[in-house]
Amino acid sequence: MNIYVSNIPFRMKSEELSALFAEFGEVNSCKIIMDKVTHRSRGFGFVEMADDAGRAAIDGLNGRDVMGLALRVNEARPRE
């Protein structure tokens, strides 16, 4: 399952996001999207997990306060 995560604090690293999702199961990949020009976080990213663990992570992390911001966690839609 591919999970879309938004409202990620700009100072958060991919490793920290991965550890947050690892509470719910094995994380296959985790990537915070970076701006190509400034090389700073754009505040969103993607996490890949198994379906059952992914659904548990969505339920457990959507709205959770992390570093002062409430994460928004949803199943990623396919690219058009």
Side-chain angles (χ1 to χ4, degrees), residues 5-13 16-21 23-24 32 60-73:
V5 185
S6 63
N7 212 29
I8 298 172
F10 292 120
R11 65 183 184 269
M12 183 174 244
K13 306 289 183 219
E16 295 170 311
L17 185 63
S18 181
L20 195 62
F21 276 82
E23 297 174 19
F24 299 93
I32 294 177
L61 292 174
N62 191 37
R64 184 190 280 189
D65 184 276
V66 176
M67 297 181 188
L69 293 174
L71 290 180
R72 286 190 294 259
V73 184

Side-chain angles (χ1 to χ4, degrees), residues 6-65:
S6 63
N7 212 29
I8 298 172
F10 292 120
R11 65 183 184 269
M12 183 174 244
K13 306 289 183 219
S14 290
E15 297 80 22
E16 295 170 311
L17 185 63
S18 181
L20 195 62
F21 276 82
E23 297 174 19
F24 299 93
E26 182 181 351
V27 174
N28 297 330
S29 71
C30 178
K31 180 170 179 129
I32 294 177
I33 305 303
M34 306 300 273
D35 186 272
K36 291 178 183 177
V37 176
T38 64
H39 303 288
R40 294 181 59 200
S41 169
R42 294 192 57 203
F44 69 94
F46 296 92
V47 177
E48 284 188 24
M49 302 177 77
D51 285 347
D52 293 340
R55 293 192 200 301
I58 290 170
D59 292 340
L61 292 174
N62 191 37
R64 184 190 280 189
D65 184 276

